[in-house]
Amino acid sequence: MERIRAALVDIDGVLTVSWKALPGAVSAMEQLRGTGLRVALVTNNTSRTRAAIASRLAGLGFPVDAEDILTAPAATAAYLREHFPGARCLLLNSGDVRDDLTGVTLVEEGDADVVVLGGAGAEFGYEALNRVFRQLQRGARLVSMHRNLYWGTEDGLDLDTGAFLEGLEKAARTHAEVTGKPDPAYFASALAHLGVEASEALMIGDDIESDVLAAQRSGITGVLVRTGKYLPETHRAASGTPDHVLDSFADLPALLARLAVKDGGTPQR
């Protein structure tokens, strides 16, 4: 194992739940910063812009700013600019992330070239989903920021986009192009942002498939935490085995110390 130089960290369910800091998470992030590790917060959150996320986390005490945050909407904007330049895009999303969709033409009326799904919420009612379905029937392409089935809140698990996406794919006989986790390009972008190789990075997440195993397929060391959306039955039924499993993000500094000992040194600055 090469020396660890960077950490990719999910937000929802790892650092926070319902935008409340999990026990020990702020301290652990401060310790990460103290080691000199490069840190990127990689999130499928689609309800807030990078700037809004950074402001909320900083208000909770996390030492982060907007440049540390990579979001699915920002990755989606880059994908649309490259693959569908100038396309008319119909967005269905819970939350306003237009500021992160730079260079994307969003339309409210008429036919669309691309339907873009963000995070699910009250906006995913029958009328809206049926409009999406009809656009797909007319030949619009389907792009989704992620295909998570659910996410964790302080009240329990809530349905997310994947629960609706699979039905739309089957009904319209199409397949969505996914731009956030677990897309390999998303992890590659995060590594490029930090200037490290896959073998030099950890990915810490609460979603065993989209966060951890997807990262491992890209050559990144995966760390699963038992917080957020973590379920023992999902862990047992997963398509692979995480490299490491921790009770929470608060345990990450101790894991890094163990890895440094095995490596014969300390994490590089």
Side-chain angles (χ1 to χ4, degrees):
M1 176 177 174
E2 292 193 28
R3 189 169 295 179
I4 297 300
R5 298 176 57 215
L8 311 181
V9 185
D10 188 23
I11 298 175
D12 290 330
V14 176
L15 301 181
T16 66
V17 169
S18 295
W19 294 105
K20 296 179 181 178
L22 285 167
V26 171
S27 176
M29 181 62 74
E30 291 172 342
Q31 291 178 66
L32 250 66
R33 292 297 199 188
T35 67
L37 259 69
R38 302 172 189 180
V39 176
L41 305 186
V42 290
T43 176
N44 277 349
N45 184 290
T46 56
S47 63
R48 299 170 186 263
T49 63
R50 296 171 64 206
I53 292 171
S55 176
R56 190 66 181 262
L57 291 176
L60 295 174
F62 288 100
V64 300
D65 58 39
E67 292 303 310
D68 297 320
I69 298 170
L70 304 178
T71 66
T76 301
Y79 183 87
L80 292 170
R81 290 194 301 268
E82 178 180 356
H83 296 278
F84 302 104
R88 290 168 53 85
C89 299
L90 171 65
L91 173 66
L92 180 58
N93 181 60
S94 182
D96 188 2
V97 292
R98 291 170 185 265
D99 286 349
D100 278 354
L101 296 175
T102 54
V104 177
T105 301
L106 298 176
V107 297
E108 301 287 345
E109 304 292 339
D111 290 344
D113 303 308
V114 182
V115 171
V116 181
L117 299 185
E123 295 80 0
F124 277 55
Y126 178 81
E127 183 176 349
L129 289 169
N130 198 47
R131 183 185 178 197
V132 166
F133 174 54
R134 288 181 174 175
Q135 293 290 341
L136 297 176
Q137 286 181 301
R138 295 187 182 106
R141 300 291 290 272
L142 179 58
V143 172
S144 184
M145 296 185 191
H146 61 76
R147 59 185 316 128
N148 296 347
L149 293 170
Y150 48 80
W151 62 292
T153 75
E154 60 186 351
D155 297 321
L157 298 179
D158 282 356
L159 281 177
D160 210 341
T161 305
F164 304 94
L165 180 60
E166 292 192 16
L168 286 169
E169 288 176 317
K170 290 180 180 179
R173 296 183 297 280
T174 189
H175 187 71
E177 300 163 61
V178 179
T179 53
K181 295 176 293 183
D183 182 47
Y186 187 80
F187 291 108
S189 176
L191 294 172
H193 176 76
L194 294 176
V196 299
E197 300 296 324
S199 58
E200 300 173 310
L202 299 174
M203 171 67 215
I204 304 97
D206 64 329
D207 187 318
I208 190 169
E209 296 288 351
S210 293
D211 291 341
V212 179
L213 299 182
Q216 290 178 194
R217 288 192 291 272
S218 292
I220 301 167
T221 299
V223 182
L224 177 67
V225 292
R226 297 189 183 99
T227 53
K229 68 169 65 173
Y230 174 86
L231 294 171
E233 54 268 36
T234 304
H235 189 173
R236 290 192 295 269
S239 61
T241 303
D243 293 315
H244 304 279
V245 180
L246 302 176
D247 284 337
S248 74
F249 184 74
D251 298 321
L252 185 64
L255 172 64
L256 288 170
R258 293 197 299 272
L259 296 178
V261 169
K262 290 175 84 173
D263 186 55
T266 57
Q268 286 186 345
R269 293 184 178 272

